[in-house]
Amino acid sequence: MELHLFLLLACLLVASHQSFARLTFRQIQESSNPSTNDAGGETEEKNVQVAPCLLISYRYELQTEEDKLVWKCRLSGSDAQNAGVKFNGNHAYVDIKGIEFVLNANHNIMSHHTTLFAEGAVIEDHLLHISPFNELHFHTPATAIRRRRLATTSGNLDVLVARVVTTDSQPTAMRAEMSDAIFGTDGDLVNLKSQIEGCSDGKLTITPATGTGSSCEDNPSYLGFFQFESGAYANCDYFSRSNEDNPDICANFGDRLDLDNDGDTANGSCCVCGGGTPGSYDVDVVDGVVNVNLNALASTETANNLQELA
């Protein structure tokens, strides 16, 4: 079952989890000469985007203003490192300065599917800086386009609401109130569940998620069987991204040995290829709502950093 996560950071963040699109890495020629400014002097080297990033939109429901739609780009590899990825993560979700140029250039962007490569775009201060002078390249997998046209309107969706609590802030609504507003568990007749089921004439149903289930963890020591010129590796993340467009990728490359010569393969290390470490989880979920406690100050962290922490 597809699990849809509703994340609240003193607000309710609604996002639908989709499979990530495959990245096509692009080589950027690096000059051996230092950059110069208009006066002929040397300028500080900038980190430019070297690989496509995945465009993702979030809609925030804030108490002080109307719903706000925010676009971010999920960077990988060296781009993520240059953006300041935290906790040894593989990705960095960065804000886009100049998002208006992106949206004006492509009116058919699909969140969680369309990738963006902006030639010469600078990655700095956890931002992707885009100007009118950057040439923009977009890619949306054909499978995603077909899925949008044939979106399902029947079946059942397991829905989890996450109530995020920081050391200095938390939503005013408690778990029982949130559950009632979303699932109608305490008599609220107009809620997310009732509206979706009503609009679909009962063909699409909503069920509050439970806190138990099975899981799988990729082998963190699997480096990858190939390194791209961008510096990124064909690791478990690569197989996961590529599997949607190329379902035979594990069969074709899953038995290739790891570059660090430890005998690991994707078929044995990556969940998407049938490997990894299986497990289970048991989380305190009450009526479809779970508390997520962060050891962070909401007043000093950016929304982007809080999102990464959660």
Side-chain angles (χ1 to χ4, degrees):
M1 292 184 182
E2 186 178 6
L3 187 64
H4 288 256
L5 179 65
F6 286 74
L7 180 63
L8 293 114
L9 297 169
C11 60
L12 184 63
L13 169 69
V14 181
S16 172
H17 175 69
Q18 303 288 345
S19 301
F20 289 117
R22 179 181 182 182
L23 295 182
T24 303
F25 293 95
R26 179 187 180 91
Q27 179 183 10
I28 301 295
Q29 297 287 352
E30 295 183 355
S31 172
S32 58
N33 298 320
S35 301
T36 59
N37 56 27
D38 293 338
E42 292 188 4
T43 61
E44 180 184 358
E45 275 195 34
K46 301 290 187 181
N47 295 315
V48 297
Q49 185 183 8
V50 299
C53 62
L54 188 69
L55 290 164
I56 301 175
S57 64
Y58 300 95
R59 187 173 296 279
Y60 292 89
E61 295 181 6
L62 304 178
Q63 296 179 347
T64 56
E65 55 183 284
E66 296 181 356
D67 291 0
K68 181 179 181 182
L69 185 66
V70 176
W71 284 92
K72 296 181 183 293
C73 227
R74 189 188 79 156
L75 302 174
S76 304
S78 60
D79 285 342
Q81 299 301 317
N82 291 334
V85 65
K86 293 186 176 181
F87 310 112
N88 297 319
N90 297 318
H91 307 292
Y93 294 79
V94 300
D95 292 312
I96 304 171
K97 186 174 183 179
I99 183 61
E100 64 272 16
F101 304 123
V102 176
L103 300 179
N104 286 336
N106 188 339
H107 298 289
N108 297 305
I109 294 174
M110 292 182 63
S111 176
H112 290 86
H113 290 287
T114 301
T115 59
L116 165 69
F117 179 73
E119 293 189 20
V122 173
I123 300 169
E124 188 177 45
D125 297 330
H126 224 82
L127 286 170
L128 178 63
H129 296 261
I130 295 178
S131 76
F133 306 105
N134 298 126
E135 185 174 343
L136 306 182
H137 303 271
F138 300 91
H139 174 68
T140 303
T143 52
I145 297 173
R146 288 196 297 271
R147 187 177 298 111
R148 172 185 252 182
R149 293 171 182 161
L150 302 175
T152 180
T153 56
S154 62
N156 182 78
L157 296 178
D158 274 357
V159 174
L160 177 68
V161 178
R163 180 178 181 272
V164 177
V165 179
T166 62
T167 54
D168 64 340
S169 181
Q170 63 178 307
T172 55
M174 303 304 290
R175 285 200 287 182
E177 296 175 89
M178 291 182 177
S179 179
D180 190 30
I182 293 172
F183 304 112
T185 51
D186 194 32
D188 189 336
L189 299 179
V190 181
N191 54 72
L192 175 72
K193 174 180 169 68
S194 68
Q195 295 303 296
I196 289 180
E197 293 179 352
C199 289
S200 67
D201 197 22
K203 294 180 180 179
L204 181 61
T205 58
I206 299 292
T207 302
T210 61
T212 59
S214 60
S215 63
C216 181
E217 182 178 357
D218 291 331
N219 177 8
S221 67
Y222 177 65
L223 180 64
F225 72 91
F226 182 78
Q227 185 175 20
F228 297 94
E229 294 182 10
S230 65
Y233 290 92
N235 53 20
C236 289
D237 259 355
Y238 169 80
F239 278 92
S240 296
R241 293 191 303 266
S242 304
N243 185 63
E244 183 178 351
D245 284 343
N246 182 12
D248 296 325
I249 190 167
C250 292
N252 294 335
F253 301 101
D255 60 351
R256 301 286 182 91
L257 293 178
D258 199 351
L259 287 178
D260 61 8
N261 298 316
D262 61 1
D264 289 335
T265 65
N267 285 342
S269 301
C270 306
C271 296
V272 71
C273 295
T277 304
S280 61
Y281 59 89
D282 188 355
V283 183
D284 179 24
V285 176
V286 178
D287 291 332
V289 183
V290 61
N291 272 335
V292 177
N293 297 300
L294 301 182
N295 185 22
L297 296 172
S299 57
T300 60
E301 294 283 354
T302 64
N304 187 76
N305 288 343
L306 287 173
Q307 177 187 317
E308 287 188 8
L309 287 169

